[in-house]
Structure formats: structure tokens, C-alpha cells
Amino acid sequence: MNKVSMTVNGRTVSADVEGRTLLSSLLRDDLHLTGTHVGCDTSQCGACVVHVDGKAVKACTMLAAEADGADVKTIEGMANADGSLGVIQQAFRDYHGLQCGFCTPGMVMSAAALLEENPKPSEAEVRDYLEGNICRCTGYHNIVKAILAASGQQVEAVAAE
């Protein structure tokens, strides 16, 4: 067993983990942060994206021990301090950027990383950045609109269904 310590969503945590324990398992099983979804276990779907030291990573392919001493942010850390939805989360809601919701945490975390790197991306840049995230429900159109809206760019409104 290895002792790992890290800051997760602003809170210092420690755990004893086996060397093979994935960061996604630590977050979900030990820390009960189940917003980080695991869809494929092969780094293909992007549902498990979290930020480690400010960088988007797929938690299903990173060992928990590799995050020792790191600052980790999960979807649970994306809300505002008062518990209301953060800007990106609200945009996903307003622009119908989710359906079943399974991919949404990874999409939001990827969007946050993109907007940190490129605050005003083009539609093509958003689509390119999301290449590592799979959504089987939406066709990505409204996800892209939500990310553009979260960046403060003008996008056409989505008709209420």
C-alpha cells in the first residue's frame, strides 16, 4: 500500500492505495466523488476527465500515486462557492448540451481546460479539442454552442423543447 495525499476540490485528502489504483477509482470509491464517470477504461471516451495541477487528464489512465501532492479538480469542484452552477455548467443547461448526462462531467472539465488555454475559441477549435470526448446522445451541436456561450461569445439561442 502507498500513502497518497493531494488537494481535491480545495480540500486536502490522504488515502492508502495499491500501486495499481487508478485516480478515477480513488476519486469514486475512496473519496465518493462519483461525478467522475468511467465509461471505457481505455482512455477513449473522456467521461473521466479531471484537472490535475490545472491540466485536463483522463483519470482512468492515471495512477492515484501519480497524483500524490497534486491539486485535483473534479466536476464537483466546478460549481460556484454558493453551490449554484458554474458558468460552463449553466451554459450546458441553457443550451441543452446534455441528454443522458453520462459524458457531461468530462465534457465540462474538457471545456474548462479549453477555455483556460483559449478563452475565445472558434467552433472548429472547440470541436477539435473535444475529439477525445464521446457523446452518444447529442451529436455535439449543442455542446459546442454551450462552450461558445460559456466563453462569452454570441451564439444562436436553442429553442426550448
Side-chain angles (χ1 to χ4, degrees), residues 146-158:
I147 295 168
L148 292 171
S151 76
Q153 297 181 63
Q154 189 69 28
V155 294
E156 66 182 69
V158 176

Side-chain angles (χ1 to χ4, degrees), residues 9 35-36 49-50 73-79 89 104-106 108-109:
N9 299 328
T36 301
V49 173
V50 298
K73 189 172 197 177
T74 70
I75 189 68
E76 289 89 352
M78 293 299 289
Q89 294 167 310
T104 305
V108 168
M109 298 306 291

Side-chain angles (χ1 to χ4, degrees), residues 6-26:
M6 61 192 73
T7 302
V8 179
N9 299 328
R11 185 176 64 111
T12 302
V13 298
S14 295
D16 290 319
V17 298
E18 292 183 35
R20 66 181 182 205
T21 301
L22 297 172
L23 180 57
S24 57
S25 297
L26 173 68

Side-chain angles (χ1 to χ4, degrees), residues 54-160:
K55 186 172 183 165
V57 300
K58 293 181 178 177
C60 76
T61 58
M62 182 178 197
L63 295 172
E66 292 177 286
D68 188 33
D71 181 33
V72 178
K73 189 172 197 177
T74 70
I75 189 68
E76 289 89 352
M78 293 299 289
N80 293 320
D82 66 1
S84 63
L85 296 177
V87 172
I88 298 169
Q89 294 167 310
Q90 187 63 51
F92 267 68
R93 181 178 179 191
D94 292 346
Y95 288 85
H96 305 284
L98 59 113
Q99 284 183 19
C100 82
F102 192 81
C103 72
T104 305
M107 289 284 188
V108 168
M109 298 306 291
S110 290
L114 167 61
L115 296 179
E116 184 68 29
E117 291 175 22
N118 182 356
K120 298 287 184 198
S122 67
E123 179 178 337
E125 289 170 325
V126 171
R127 289 183 183 279
D128 184 58
Y129 199 89
L130 293 179
E131 189 174 90
N133 295 75
I134 296 174
C135 176
R136 291 180 172 90
C137 299
T138 68
Y140 302 93
H141 185 69
N142 290 342
I143 292 170
V144 172
K145 279 184 167 182
I147 295 168
L148 292 171
S151 76
Q153 297 181 63
Q154 189 69 28
V155 294
E156 66 182 69
V158 176

